[in-house]
Amino acid sequence: MDLRAALAAHRLVAIVRGSDPEAALRTVLTLADEGIELIEVSLTTEDALTVIERARKALGPGRPLGAGTVLTADDARAVHRAGAGFAVTPCLGEGMSTARELGLPVLAGVMTPTEIIGARALGAEALKIFPAAQAGGPGYLKALRGPFPHEVFVPVGGVDEAAARAYLAAGATAVGIGSPLVGDAADGGGAAALRARARAFRTVVREATS
């Protein structure tokens, strides 16, 4: 898949992590049903590889489905076998390198300019500013865009609706959103609240894009 184009088109990555594999799968499918096109299942989710496998079968081969918290070479090989179409890392490391060797596009976790240069040298398609809130929020992103005006930045960490608006206005290509969107759905929480949050965040993205 063309990860850079997908991020530019959809501008939102939903991050699913939870303690209940069945609930995590339902969460992925509910988000997809609500029109969230880019979904990442974190490997910190209980039985994450099975969730990814089952989600891939349910969504079909054409729907973007990512695996997050890919730290090691074994992680990268496992998510590739499970059917992930892209990998997300919190940092640079062998998980990223092996994912690229396997042909998976990577959204690589970075914080500093040095890490940005390193990630691009290793073949990262896009750059996940993580943890974005602790790094300095939208102001930090705006500062990074000075020396790196053409990079695909995706802030992740503490991104609620207000922060999403601010990051997109500051030049983020997309935002990655975990608990402010997913809430407790992947732990067994209700689907109605998840659907409402998904619609609210889609509105944020639509307004930022228009």
Side-chain angles (χ1 to χ4, degrees):
M1 66 173 291
D2 186 338
L3 182 59
R4 291 169 69 92
L7 290 167
H10 303 300
R11 311 204 73 188
L12 169 63
V13 182
I15 303 165
V16 176
R17 62 171 60 87
S19 59
D20 183 333
E22 291 295 330
L25 177 62
R26 288 196 301 270
T27 299
V28 171
L29 299 183
T30 298
L31 290 168
D33 187 56
E34 286 295 331
I36 304 295
E37 293 291 335
L38 295 172
I39 302 171
E40 162 199 339
V41 178
S42 171
L43 289 183
T44 58
T45 297
E46 185 70 23
D47 203 9
L49 294 173
T50 299
V51 173
I52 294 169
E53 288 175 358
R54 293 177 65 191
R56 170 53 69 212
K57 289 178 182 177
L59 295 172
R63 191 72 177 256
L65 179 64
T69 325
V70 176
L71 296 173
T72 68
D74 285 343
D75 288 342
R77 287 188 283 265
V79 302
H80 183 256
R81 288 193 300 268
F86 63 96
V88 185
T89 74
C91 58
L92 308 185
E94 64 177 12
M96 176 190 168
S97 300
T98 302
R100 292 298 300 122
E101 290 169 5
L102 293 168
L104 289 176
V106 177
L107 172 56
V110 299
M111 183 180 282
T112 67
T114 299
E115 290 172 346
I116 290 169
I117 291 171
R120 293 297 286 132
L122 292 170
E125 278 77 7
L127 304 171
K128 165 183 165 180
I129 302 175
F130 177 80
Q134 290 76 10
Y140 185 62
L141 169 64
K142 188 174 180 180
L144 287 177
R145 291 204 64 79
F148 303 106
H150 304 300
E151 297 297 345
V152 174
F153 287 119
V154 183
V156 177
V159 183
D160 58 14
E161 289 182 46
R165 287 190 180 90
Y167 282 120
L168 293 169
T173 300
V175 288
I177 306 173
S179 57
L181 168 56
V182 173
D184 64 352
D187 298 314
L194 174 63
R195 288 184 182 276
R197 290 190 297 269
R199 291 167 189 170
F201 274 104
R202 285 197 69 202
T203 297
V204 170
V205 171
R206 185 168 56 250
E207 290 174 348
T209 304
S210 62

